[in-house]
Amino acid sequence: MCGLAGIYSHKPVATELYDSLIHLQHRGQDAAGITTYNKHMHKTKGLGLVRDIFTEKKIKRLKGNIGIAHTRYPTHGGFGHGEIQPFWTSVPYGIALAHNGNLTNYNELAKNITSNESRYLNTNSDTEVLLHLFAELLHDRNKHDNDKEFFDGLCSALENIYEHVHGAYSVVALVIGKGLVAFRDPQGIRPLVKGIRSNSNGEHDYIIASENTMFYPLGFKPDGNVLPGELIYISEGGKVFSKRLMKKSFNPCIFEYVYFARPDATLNDVSVYRARLRMGQNLAEGWKNKYPEKIPDIIIPAPSTANTAALSMATALGVRYSEGLYKNPFIGRTFIMPGQKARKKSLRYKLTPQVTEISEKKVMIVDDSIVRGNTSREIVRMLKDFGATEVYFAVASPPVQSPCFYGVDMPTRAELIANNKSVDEIRQYLDVDLLFYQNIDDLAEAVMRKGDHHIDRPCMACFDKHYITSEMNIKKIQQLESMRINDRNGN
Ligand code: SF4
């Protein structure tokens, strides 16, 4: 998973792209980059957190009123400087591109680009392949200069991409001398939202980003979503063109609501915060039906994504909500730190149990999900160390049984605890008295109950193994899993 933003403005755009990345930092902490242009392209990128990469001096060098930015959490490709987005090419126009998602037919596309199109790939990143494919298609189709003709060429290029590129891709790109481009895969798997800002002279600025978390501080008003299969082009002169080039079923990722997105975001016209509140309500209903006699003394979230669901579950059960695990905010989210060693080492630095909230109590811990199970087990051990008499574990999502191949760096099937153990075996592994998972229909209901959305059915493949794109079969899953293992091992 990654975070991206593209801004078309009437004033220099670099500081606003920097601010956007700060508001998208939770979507990727591995690396970040910003590209802008005036007459030339200006680029700055680096490894680490946004605040550490971009100094004032570097930001000042990023000239221009149009730009794109990206914060990275790798799902494909290596972990080095060369893989940091935005990627760029100088043929045919000078194009920079940033991508959130994962291309499931990377191998075929890479082969095609290098052998048929005579382009050289410098990395294993699927974004680089997408950039070259986009550039090549645009090269073939754009012989004219006015905005409408350029947009027609873009449409034709995108029709080809929608036909041949499989998987998840939300994209922002800039084309020197032309403007800002954005598009989203035909099933809308990864989010892409739009915002607009009116200036005092009646002109408009535009932002397109993974989440709307930066809209308010930057003065943008929400303006809907880039629709699945839609192409948007904002010309240098500020003309906006858009067309939905392919219509399929709308299947956005449900894990965005469970874990990734910031709670104050609204994605696909559904509030993440409200969806999490409803997850807690549904979880409480399920718990009451299954364990009517088992009411805990206190409900503690595994901080901090689960706070919202835990709060509403506590309200629904009439139990006190407590932040009995203090989270040190200066240590990154463990799920997205590459490498198991770093993850294990960070947990006790990160969470401190509060004895007054735990000792001599029947404690229910609420978490958003259980992936490998190691963090959950460690949390349970902490609660017991601090004197909990009984520990119940409630999970706001169903068991994670299968990896994501649409842009989330999940472990392989062998590493997913729910792929290898039954619920009761997981309960024993965690060493809890009761373990309760959200039912999958209740999760989907929590996301889809409210909001003026057009979601047909969210992608829930990591929970139900039903991959929503047609190319996914067991052979493809095996191929993608071995690619992921190779990437991790640096092969
Ligand atoms: Fe989201 Fe899971 Fe689907 Fe991946 S497999 S897109 S994480 S719901």
Side-chain angles (χ1 to χ4, degrees):
M1 192 190 55
C2 303
L4 51 80
I7 300 181
Y8 171 96
S9 180
H10 287 83
K11 58 185 186 206
V13 82
T15 52
E16 293 201 329
L17 286 168
Y18 171 83
D19 289 341
S20 300
L21 289 182
I22 291 288
H23 285 278
L24 293 170
Q25 183 73 87
H26 57 287
R27 296 184 69 89
Q29 299 164 9
D30 186 59
I34 297 177
T35 304
T36 61
Y37 83 86
N38 47 8
K39 287 196 179 90
H40 305 287
M41 215 175 272
H42 306 279
K43 311 177 282 287
T44 292
K45 44 174 85 172
L47 292 165
L49 294 176
V50 173
R51 63 170 185 239
D52 300 326
I53 298 166
F54 301 99
T55 58
E56 210 177 326
K57 207 167 141 195
K58 285 180 181 168
I59 292 283
K60 273 191 183 148
R61 279 195 229 121
L62 297 167
K63 311 268 186 227
N65 296 356
I66 302 176
I68 58 174
H70 186 270
T71 180
R72 180 170 190 250
Y73 146 58
T75 54
H76 188 255
F79 295 90
H81 198 278
E83 277 88 7
I84 304 172
Q85 300 188 41
F87 277 83
W88 75 283
T89 177
S90 56
V91 182
Y93 296 96
I95 300 175
L97 182 144
H99 158 231
N100 175 204
N102 195 46
L103 309 186
T104 52
N105 59 337
Y106 166 81
N107 279 348
E108 297 87 322
L109 295 170
K111 204 167 154 203
N112 181 38
I113 277 291
T114 47
S115 49
N116 298 350
E117 309 294 355
S118 314
R119 286 200 175 230
Y120 170 72
L121 292 176
N122 205 32
T123 68
N124 290 328
S125 166
D126 54 354
T127 307
E128 192 184 14
V129 165
L130 189 56
L131 167 68
H132 284 298
L133 184 60
F134 178 62
E136 203 59 45
L137 290 166
L138 214 50
H139 197 190
D140 291 348
R141 283 159 176 79
N142 270 283
K143 311 293 177 209
H144 307 288
D145 278 339
N146 76 47
D147 292 347
K148 174 70 174 73
E149 284 166 345
F150 182 71
F151 180 64
D152 290 344
L154 277 173
C155 287
S156 169
L158 257 294
E159 274 163 2
N160 188 300
I161 284 180
Y162 286 149
E163 202 175 318
H164 294 109
V165 177
H166 301 153
Y169 43 100
S170 282
V171 173
V172 287
L174 55 82
V175 184
I176 288 196
K178 299 294 179 190
L180 185 67
V181 176
F183 56 92
R184 191 174 179 192
D185 69 72
Q187 284 163 278
I189 300 172
R190 302 253 72 87
L192 204 56
V193 294
K194 299 186 295 181
I196 186 165
R197 182 172 60 196
S198 302
N199 299 320
S200 51
N201 59 3
E203 291 165 337
H204 292 113
D205 298 338
Y206 302 96
I207 185 167
I208 293 173
S210 299
E211 296 180 14
N212 59 345
T213 41
M214 75 298 284
F215 284 13
Y216 178 67
L218 297 183
F220 285 95
K221 288 210 162 69
D223 188 31
N225 302 275
V226 177
L227 298 173
E230 187 181 27
L231 163 72
I232 293 181
Y233 165 51
I234 304 163
S235 74
E236 271 198 329
K239 265 192 177 170
V240 180
F241 299 81
S242 69
K243 193 168 184 183
R244 198 163 175 196
L245 295 163
M246 187 178 269
K247 277 190 188 165
K248 284 189 172 181
S249 63
F250 184 15
N251 311 114
C253 168
I254 207 162
F255 220 60
E256 292 275 354
Y257 298 94
V258 170
Y259 175 77
F260 290 121
R262 225 169 71 171
D264 55 323
T266 296
L267 307 177
N268 312 306
D269 300 306
V270 174
S271 151
V272 173
Y273 185 76
R274 288 297 180 96
R276 286 182 189 162
L277 285 176
R278 295 191 288 265
M279 284 174 210
Q281 290 166 359
N282 289 355
L283 197 58
E285 280 309 305
W287 179 272
K288 279 194 277 189
N289 288 338
K290 187 152 188 198
Y291 301 114
E293 310 298 323
K294 295 285 186 182
I295 299 301
D297 298 320
I298 201 156
I299 289 187
I300 297 176
S304 48
T305 315
N307 291 11
T308 317
L311 179 64
S312 61
M313 185 173 191
T315 307
L317 290 181
V319 172
R320 185 160 74 84
Y321 168 85
S322 163
E323 286 165 18
L325 290 167
Y326 171 73
K327 183 181 179 184
N328 182 339
F330 301 105
I331 296 173
R333 298 165 88 179
T334 55
F335 186 82
I336 61 176
M337 289 170 72
Q340 185 75 349
K341 251 189 181 170
R343 214 167 6 248
K344 276 189 175 164
K345 188 167 178 275
S346 71
L347 192 66
R348 280 179 187 232
Y349 290 110
K350 184 174 154 181
L351 293 184
T352 311
Q354 304 206 55
V355 69
T356 51
E357 299 300 289
I358 294 165
S359 178
E360 303 295 317
K361 291 189 174 66
K362 285 185 279 178
V363 177
M364 175 182 281
I365 191 94
V366 177
D367 207 348
D368 52 81
S369 55
I370 298 178
V371 180
R372 294 176 183 81
N374 302 329
T375 305
S376 312
R377 187 172 140 115
E378 191 76 8
I379 286 173
V380 172
R381 195 173 297 154
M382 285 178 180
L383 296 175
K384 294 200 166 173
D385 284 350
F386 278 70
T389 53
E390 284 182 50
V391 179
Y392 311 147
F393 207 115
V395 193
S397 59
V400 178
Q401 300 192 63
S402 206
C404 175
F405 301 110
Y406 301 133
V408 174
D409 182 28
M410 279 194 189
T412 56
R413 282 170 295 173
E415 298 165 286
L416 291 170
I417 191 166
N419 188 54
N420 303 304
K421 292 184 194 297
S422 67
V423 172
D424 194 54
E425 285 167 338
I426 299 171
R427 184 194 64 73
Q428 288 173 38
Y429 175 79
L430 301 185
D431 195 21
V432 288
D433 297 280
L434 296 170
L435 169 64
F436 184 70
Y437 280 100
Q438 182 95 272
N439 174 290
I440 195 154
D441 293 336
D442 290 342
L443 174 63
E445 195 277 339
V447 172
M448 294 178 66
R449 190 191 311 169
K450 289 265 175 74
D452 189 17
H453 64 77
H454 299 94
I455 300 171
D456 292 307
R457 178 188 182 278
C459 174
M460 301 188 280
C462 46
F463 302 119
D464 65 4
K465 303 185 181 179
H466 175 70
Y467 290 93
I468 50 164
T469 54
S470 55
E471 75 286 357
M472 294 299 292
N473 52 35
I474 189 67
K475 208 169 142 207
K476 180 58 97 178
I477 290 172
Q478 280 161 354
Q479 182 205 9
L480 292 171
E481 272 197 332
S482 24
M483 279 169 68
R484 186 162 292 174
I485 293 166
N486 285 341
D487 283 341
R488 279 196 203 152
N489 296 336
N491 298 331

